[in-house]
Amino acid sequence: MAWLSLKVLLVGVSFLGCLYPLVDFCFSGETRGQKPNFVIILADDMGWGDLGANWAETKDTANLDKMAAEGMRFVDFHAAASTCSPSRASLLTGRLGLRNGVTHNFAVTSVGGLPLNETTLAEVLREAGYVTGMIGKWHLGHHSSYHPNFRGFDYYFGIPYSHDMGCTDTPGYNHPPCPACPRGDRPPRSPKRDCYTDVALPLYENLNIVEQPVNLSGLAQRYAEKATQFIQRASTSGRPFLLYVGLAHMHVPVPFTRTPLSADPQDCTPYASGLREMDSLVGQIKDRVDRTAKENTFLWFTGDNGPWAQKCELAGSVGPFTGLWQAQQGGSPAKQTTWEGGHRVPAVAYWPGRVPINVTSTALLSVLDIFPTVVALAGASLPPGRCFDGLDASEVLFGGSQTGHRVLFHPNSGAAGEYGALQTVRLEHYKAFYVTGGAKACDGSVGPEQHHEPPLVFNLEDVAEAVPLERGSAEYQRVLPKVREALADILQDVAHDNISRADYTQDPSVTPCCNPHQIACRCHITSQTDVSTSRHIRK
């Protein structure tokens, strides 16, 4: 399995090691005090209304709400896609899936990942003198050169994909539930749904699997510890740093052990507990930034896409973006759709002294904008020979403008239509759909896929997308040609761009497995970061 490939790779890249001390934190003499640090935190399947600052009924995000009060909150901020891998690929490249090649999710058995000719944000910043770290969910390929250590990250600690893509001893609150990993000689039970029962969920530290199956109950605290250690060591060294944290929350809540209980029974749901634990993790990272590099660190929190439909079973809040028209047609306002509930995500920016405090921005922005904005603030250059879909949002962040995108495109992400195709267009405060349906509702039913020519058009003053404009109305006729022109322009632009193709080939032999002789690949290796924290490598 993949352990064979990793052994080969370790021979050639042993300088990466499996511990922090082998990351080059040494100061070169040119970067101290000149370049800002960046902390990017990406929540998983977090709804717009899960942020208390966005939705008063949410009471579980005190740290994030405080960060919003001390910084800038974005209320019209969007994921680059409505599912995991494409959204993450766009964050790290600033390009839509039609350009970077990642149009749908990678699997446990995926041979490929984010195409190697795509340049990541980490690669750009490392070239500019930054030390780079990634904590948490990757989901852009784990086999061979697709691993984070080969995509610009000096340090990696996390799970290579979603935390429900492997069995554990403490399964999360999926609906319906999946069984725990088998033990001893007992064969895995056959679940009634798509569950992973043969191979346990792995936890990596750089190229090594250090635990399989990972203990999900303590994972959030381990992520917090690794993130704060990275910030502390990078700050002490004087090197500027990029830390990208891909949270496991709120994809599938897990049995928590460290989350404070609430007196309110409604707040004791698995989903509410998950929100509080996620918020605590973010608070720990922010506190470390405040203590070590407050004036020179830009912290950006957002989400990869909207929530799964199983939130209905877990009492999660969904906010105002309920997609009434979609619900009426038998679908669901959730992840994978291009309704607002699928891609409008919470977003908060925090940088004391630079980002104005307690500001709500209505600028139309996207996860796509993180790449060009961070590159510009770092004083680096965009990779040549390709087009980008994001924009530099610095002027918005620093309070000098409320102007973001005029047009955004929401790619098909697994519900209706071909993967990655651009059939939903946001134009100012209008939104046009050429395809709808195909989503799984809370009761498990799937709505029929429906194509619309001419497209459905909504005025987003109707935030629930409840009633489309009448096709014969003057408003519709005024908007339609602008939508058609915008769509034609980007398709022509993509056709002439330097685009990539992701390898979605699957091979069971690349499944991460630290011990193929044990049932479910069980192993536990003491993290070598606990052994020594004093050695460094000079590059």
Side-chain angles (χ1 to χ4, degrees):
M1 289 189 174
W3 64 281
L4 292 172
S5 300
L6 286 176
K7 283 186 175 180
V8 174
L9 289 170
L10 282 167
V11 173
V13 293
S14 60
F15 66 90
L16 284 170
C18 20
L19 47 149
Y20 270 126
L22 298 188
V23 176
D24 180 14
F25 288 117
C26 300
F27 171 49
S28 66
E30 296 181 358
T31 58
R32 184 182 296 275
Q34 296 181 8
K35 295 179 181 291
N37 309 307
F38 302 99
V39 177
I40 299 167
I41 304 177
L42 189 71
D44 192 0
D45 296 2
M46 182 180 180
W48 186 93
D50 289 333
L51 178 66
N54 284 347
W55 192 243
E57 295 180 14
T58 301
K59 309 294 184 184
D60 302 303
T61 58
N63 290 295
L64 278 166
D65 297 344
K66 182 174 183 290
M67 191 165 82
E70 296 173 347
M72 183 175 290
R73 176 172 62 100
F74 302 92
V75 294
D76 204 358
F77 197 94
H78 298 263
S82 298
T83 194
C84 301
S85 296
S87 185
R88 292 158 199 274
S90 291
L91 185 155
L92 290 177
T93 65
R95 287 154 56 86
L96 287 165
L98 281 185
R99 300 187 198 269
N100 65 39
V102 181
T103 58
H104 53 290
N105 289 339
F106 294 104
V108 172
T109 54
S110 286
V111 173
L114 176 64
L116 301 178
N117 58 314
E118 289 291 320
T119 303
T120 70
L121 178 61
E123 289 169 326
V124 174
L125 264 61
R126 190 163 69 174
E127 184 69 21
Y130 280 70
V131 62
T132 57
M134 201 260 150
I135 310 288
K137 175 178 174 177
W138 173 240
H139 214 169
L140 291 174
H142 54 272
H143 177 58
S144 188
S145 299
Y146 298 99
H147 185 281
N149 283 140
F150 299 104
R151 306 313 304 269
F153 290 102
D154 298 310
Y155 178 75
Y156 174 62
F157 182 85
I159 297 171
Y161 28 69
S162 296
H163 68 281
D164 59 348
M165 293 175 66
C167 66
T168 67
D169 292 332
T170 53
Y173 293 99
N174 224 328
H175 185 83
C178 285
C181 284
R183 289 182 176 273
D185 297 327
R186 288 179 298 173
R189 289 182 292 166
S190 297
K192 296 180 179 180
R193 64 185 299 273
D194 293 333
C195 294
Y196 296 80
T197 57
D198 295 329
V199 179
L201 187 68
L203 177 66
Y204 277 84
E205 186 157 32
N206 289 329
L207 297 175
N208 292 318
I209 296 175
V210 295
E211 188 175 288
Q212 194 170 10
V214 60
N215 178 6
L216 292 177
S217 297
L219 186 61
Q221 188 57 34
R222 294 174 77 177
Y223 281 176
E225 290 168 358
K226 296 295 185 182
T228 55
Q229 288 171 12
F230 183 90
I231 292 168
Q232 182 65 52
R233 289 168 182 157
S235 299
T236 301
S237 75
R239 288 192 65 187
F241 65 85
L242 165 69
L243 176 62
Y244 168 39
V245 182
L247 301 178
H249 305 76
M250 297 295 302
H251 185 73
V252 175
V254 301
F256 301 105
T257 58
R258 294 179 172 86
T259 306
L261 295 177
S262 170
D264 186 345
Q266 183 67 19
D267 292 342
C268 293
T269 64
Y271 199 89
S273 296
L275 272 178
R276 287 196 297 276
E277 179 159 274
M278 180 205 69
D279 183 70
S280 174
L281 193 164
V282 174
Q284 291 179 66
I285 294 173
K286 177 181 176 292
D287 287 346
R288 183 53 56 98
V289 166
D290 286 344
R291 289 197 298 267
T292 58
K294 184 175 184 177
E295 291 77 18
N296 199 37
T297 301
F298 175 33
L299 197 160
W300 203 334
F301 173 91
T302 188
D304 69 337
N305 47 247
W308 272 113
Q310 73 253 31
K311 274 184 70 173
C312 303
E313 305 292 339
L314 298 172
S317 65
V318 294
F321 304 109
T322 51
L324 281 178
W325 195 91
Q326 170 77 339
Q328 291 163 2
Q329 304 306 309
S332 170
K335 178 175 176 174
Q336 296 187 325
T337 77
T338 56
W339 299 96
E340 292 294 288
H343 55 76
R344 190 184 291 229
V345 290
V348 177
Y350 173 77
W351 189 353
R354 298 294 302 276
V355 173
I357 65 171
N358 201 23
V359 170
T360 299
S361 173
T362 59
L364 177 58
L365 295 176
S366 166
V367 165
L368 288 160
D369 304 327
I370 292 174
F371 183 99
T373 302
V374 169
V375 169
L377 292 174
S381 299
L382 292 173
R386 65 200 65 192
C387 296
F388 296 88
D389 298 293
L391 55 79
D392 177 3
S394 300
E395 285 299 305
V396 176
L397 289 166
F398 299 148
S401 172
Q402 280 281 11
T403 302
H405 292 266
R406 175 178 174 267
V407 179
L408 270 183
F409 300 93
H410 303 298
N412 298 340
S413 299
E418 180 184 353
Y419 281 121
L422 304 180
Q423 293 183 283
T424 304
V425 182
R426 170 71 184 271
L427 174 73
E428 298 170 345
H429 61 281
Y430 294 97
K431 190 172 170 190
F433 293 83
Y434 285 88
V435 64
T436 58
K440 183 178 290 187
C442 294
D443 62 2
S445 62
V446 177
E449 182 173 310
Q450 300 182 49
H451 292 261
H452 308 282
E453 181 54 61
L456 293 173
V457 176
F458 292 84
N459 184 328
L460 288 181
E461 291 179 2
D462 166 21
V463 295
E465 298 172 292
V467 182
L469 298 180
E470 293 288 341
R471 288 191 170 98
S473 69
E475 187 177 15
Y476 184 95
Q477 295 300 321
R478 185 173 65 253
V479 172
L480 181 60
K482 297 178 183 179
V483 168
R484 293 197 189 282
E485 181 181 14
L487 186 56
D489 286 348
I490 193 171
L491 293 178
Q492 182 179 27
D493 188 63
V494 170
H496 292 88
D497 192 15
N498 180 14
I499 63 173
S500 302
R501 302 289 183 191
D503 179 5
Y504 280 99
T505 303
Q506 296 192 34
D507 183 345
S509 70
V510 307
T511 302
C513 182
C514 63
N515 189 344
H517 303 295
Q518 291 289 328
I519 191 167
C521 296
R522 285 184 177 274
C523 71
H524 181 85
I525 303 171
T526 301
S527 171
Q528 295 189 40
T529 54
D530 299 328
V531 178
S532 168
T533 56
S534 59
R535 290 177 295 166
H536 299 263
I537 283 185
R538 294 182 182 274
K539 296 180 180 177

